Amino acid sequence: MVKKKIRTGVVGGSMNNKWASQTHIPALLKHPNLDITAIGTSRMESARESAGEVGAALAFDDAKKLAASEAVDMVVVSVKVPHHYGAVMAAIQEGKHIFCEWPLGANIAEATEMATAAEQAGIHHTVGLQARQDLEVQTMKKLVEDGEIGEIVSCHMQVTTRGKGGRTDQDTAYLLNKANGANLLTITGGHALDALQYIVGEFRELSAITASRYNQATIQETGEVIPKDTADQILIHGLSEKGTPISVHIQDGVNSKFEIEIQGKKGALRLTQKPSLGHVQFGNLTLEKLVYDSGSNKGYAPSDAFDAFEQINIAPEPDSGLDFPKEGVTLNVAKAHHVFAKDILTDTRFAPDFNHALKLHQLLDRIEESAATGKKLVW
């Protein structure tokens, strides 16, 4: 890679921000082409403290001022979803490259405006859909494309979490208000559906049902009961662009699980996460393969099928010369930064950008439309 520094400002870069401090900050500090020059938070005191901890020269309590700084080439937006629009548009207006967390906007109108403005500005832009950087996800995609299990017959994905059901905490209570644009469908579902489409292809039609089995939630720290207007049951049936039947169940308030199982004419592939928080982007995935006995017409009984799956030993990635974390979500975010930095330095477009994010927003809107109208949507 070109030996050039990309000076980076992190909006939401407080070391008290559990996401930024455990993912973006370590990734940026270890990358030879990325320098953290500015930290932005909602309070100047915390901005200065966090800037001091990471060795950044500048601290801001205003995203617009951070984006306007001549010491910043790229802006990382790692704040709550309702604040993405303001921070992203400020960076676009200053002509700065942008790495924004997913979801891009609180709604499709915001996402559309951001994607259009970023294209017109001629900057590089990416969205934090880092599950596609996971080696097991990439390997599953390659095995499907290489015909390892033959022609694909069907695909099933199950995604469950506990955190957006009947209990929550103070930091994440805003996820239960649909107006904020951050909920089970957009966050948990968005990451999972992006990984699924990356592996088997994009939806071309779908039918969906959504339901709320929890209409209120208890905040753990205080015992306060708050209203909840977001769906905690999401069921999707559809066909991919290649005609593959797809079934998806996303739910909250139950034991966490993540699994994708793809059935082919020669065998099956299964991707799981154990232990699981229900978020594929967090990594810690296991990929298994089942090959059918071509000389027998006998099918596998359910228990036999699970016993027959064999874990695929994923070969280590080639040494890139970068000091990547060893595993998990920090690794996937670090790899996403690596791809985006290379895009900026070599003027390529390999990272999922705002246009890709807009297409995913459109898919989520179609899921909600189908659920609201009871109609199958085809596009």
Side-chain angles (χ1 to χ4, degrees):
M1 193 180 291
V2 179
K3 292 185 178 179
K4 180 183 177 182
K5 296 292 186 180
I6 301 171
R7 299 169 301 173
T8 305
V10 183
V11 177
S14 169
M15 295 306 287
N16 293 323
N17 178 329
K18 295 178 182 179
W19 181 256
S21 66
Q22 294 176 17
T23 57
H24 292 293
I25 299 295
L28 294 167
L29 289 174
K30 291 185 176 182
H31 198 291
N33 297 103
L34 298 170
D35 274 355
I36 303 177
T37 54
I39 293 291
T41 72
S42 59
R43 296 184 301 108
M44 183 57 75
E45 181 182 359
S46 67
R48 287 173 176 156
E49 290 177 357
S50 298
E53 284 191 51
V54 303
L58 301 174
F60 296 92
D61 60 1
D62 185 330
K64 292 182 179 179
K65 292 179 180 179
L66 182 148
S69 172
E70 294 183 357
V72 172
D73 304 311
M74 177 180 88
V75 176
V76 174
V77 177
S78 182
V79 290
K80 291 180 178 180
V81 177
H83 305 298
H84 283 189
Y85 176 83
V88 167
M89 293 303 291
I92 290 173
Q93 290 165 9
E94 297 295 336
K96 305 299 171 72
H97 306 300
I98 309 169
F99 186 131
C100 180
E101 274 299 338
W102 169 262
L104 178 58
N107 52 59
I108 199 164
E110 288 187 356
T112 301
E113 187 176 346
M114 286 187 273
T116 301
E119 283 295 294
Q120 292 175 345
I123 60 173
H124 282 272
H125 42 92
T126 190
V127 66
L129 292 166
Q130 67 272 5
R132 57 180 50 221
Q133 302 300 335
D134 194 282
L135 187 55
E136 280 72 15
V137 171
Q138 294 176 345
T139 302
M140 191 179 207
K141 173 182 175 66
K142 187 175 188 305
L143 292 175
V144 168
E145 292 176 344
D146 290 349
E148 185 74 17
I149 58 171
E151 181 182 351
I152 303 304
V153 175
S154 66
C155 177
H156 173 73
M157 180 169 72
Q158 186 175 3
V159 185
T160 67
T161 70
R162 294 188 61 83
K164 303 179 190 73
R167 297 189 65 81
T168 186
D169 55 41
Q170 290 176 319
D171 287 341
T172 60
Y174 83 106
L175 301 175
L176 305 184
N177 182 346
K178 188 175 181 180
N180 289 323
N183 50 62
L184 175 65
L185 176 60
T186 61
I187 295 182
T188 313
H191 281 287
L193 288 165
D194 183 65
L196 179 69
Q197 292 190 123
Y198 178 66
I199 294 167
V200 300
E202 296 183 358
F203 280 91
R204 75 179 188 203
E205 65 177 71
L206 62 80
S207 299
I209 297 172
T210 61
S212 295
R213 306 302 292 170
Y214 297 93
N215 296 314
Q216 58 186 26
T218 301
I219 297 178
Q220 294 176 0
E221 295 91 339
T222 64
E224 179 187 0
V225 177
I226 60 172
K228 170 182 170 295
D229 67 354
T230 55
D232 47 60
Q233 295 290 323
I234 303 162
L235 296 96
I236 308 160
H237 291 90
L239 295 177
S240 77
E241 56 196 353
K242 298 178 182 178
T244 302
I246 300 173
S247 173
V248 177
H249 188 184
I250 305 167
Q251 60 179 324
D252 256 329
V254 295
N255 285 335
S256 299
K257 179 179 181 180
F258 177 84
E259 180 176 297
I260 296 177
E261 188 164 297
I262 302 174
Q263 295 288 338
K265 291 184 176 180
K266 295 181 180 178
L269 295 170
R270 185 171 64 188
L271 185 69
T272 55
Q273 185 182 55
K274 298 177 181 179
S276 178
L277 293 174
H279 299 283
V280 61
Q281 70 273 21
F282 287 5
N284 190 34
L285 301 171
T286 298
L287 179 59
E288 298 169 290
K289 180 176 69 174
L290 169 65
V291 178
Y292 299 142
D293 182 356
S294 59
S296 172
N297 290 325
K298 181 181 178 182
Y300 288 97
S303 59
D304 294 335
F306 282 94
D307 292 340
F309 271 99
E310 293 183 2
Q311 183 172 340
I312 295 177
N313 294 317
I314 307 294
E317 294 181 282
D319 186 1
S320 63
L322 298 177
D323 185 15
F324 281 143
K326 298 304 180 185
E327 60 183 14
V329 65
T330 306
L331 170 60
N332 290 339
V333 172
K335 289 167 67 177
H337 273 291
H338 171 63
V339 173
F340 188 51
K342 190 172 182 179
D343 275 351
I344 293 172
L345 296 172
T346 61
D347 198 26
T348 52
R349 300 277 175 173
F350 291 106
D353 63 12
F354 286 7
N355 298 312
H356 176 87
L358 179 56
K359 288 185 69 176
L360 188 54
H361 272 284
Q362 290 168 342
L363 174 67
L364 301 183
D365 269 24
R366 285 173 174 140
I367 291 168
E368 291 194 307
E369 180 184 351
S370 175
T373 63
K375 296 179 180 180
K376 178 175 76 172
L377 301 181
V378 182
W379 59 95

